[in-house]
Amino acid sequence: MIGVINTGTYYGLYLLFLPHMPYLAAHVVATALSMTGSFFLNTHFTYRTRPTWRKFLLFPLTNATSFVVTTAGVYVIVDILHAGNRLAPLIASLAAVPVTFVVARMIMVPKRGTAGE
């Protein structure tokens, strides 16, 4: 559910910024803004752990792979396939969801025997 909320937030921001900047810039800004909300929703609801500065600073790593995959996907869909820039981010993000979840879990839920803070 958090992924759906985060994707909706990202996509809404992307569409909001799209008329005012190039599509890749809109993608980058929307990703950065939605990532902060995603962190707090994931710490509270998904992983039931308290937010810390360490986790907050490491959380962008969870989205690094997703960002690379979706950015490359958006570029391929828009510039190579000429399929349009409105739905490209949603299509490209589908491939990145499982990878992002696994990396987020490794950061948010430390292994037993480690402080994790």
Side-chain angles (χ1 to χ4, degrees), residues 35-103:
M35 199 181 315
T36 300
S38 178
F39 169 75
F40 288 107
L41 290 172
N42 274 296
T43 56
H44 185 71
F45 294 109
T46 305
Y47 303 108
R48 301 189 193 288
T49 184
R50 67 184 177 94
T52 64
W53 279 108
R54 179 182 181 276
K55 290 175 187 175
F56 182 75
L57 295 173
L58 289 174
F59 190 73
L61 294 175
T62 68
N63 290 300
T65 301
S66 175
F67 179 76
V68 169
V69 170
T70 57
T71 301
V74 166
Y75 174 78
V76 167
I77 292 166
V78 173
D79 284 346
I80 295 175
L81 300 177
H82 305 289
N85 60 14
R86 292 187 64 79
L87 292 177
L90 290 178
I91 296 166
S93 68
L94 291 175
V97 170
V99 175
T100 302
F101 177 80
V102 170
V103 175

Side-chain angles (χ1 to χ4, degrees), residues 13 16 31 34 59 69 107 113:
L13 290 169
L16 179 72
T31 297
S34 66
F59 190 73
V69 170
I107 288 173

Side-chain angles (χ1 to χ4, degrees), residues 6-16 30 85-90:
N6 189 49
T7 300
T9 301
Y10 158 78
Y11 190 57
L13 290 169
Y14 173 79
L15 292 176
L16 179 72
N85 60 14
R86 292 187 64 79
L87 292 177
L90 290 178

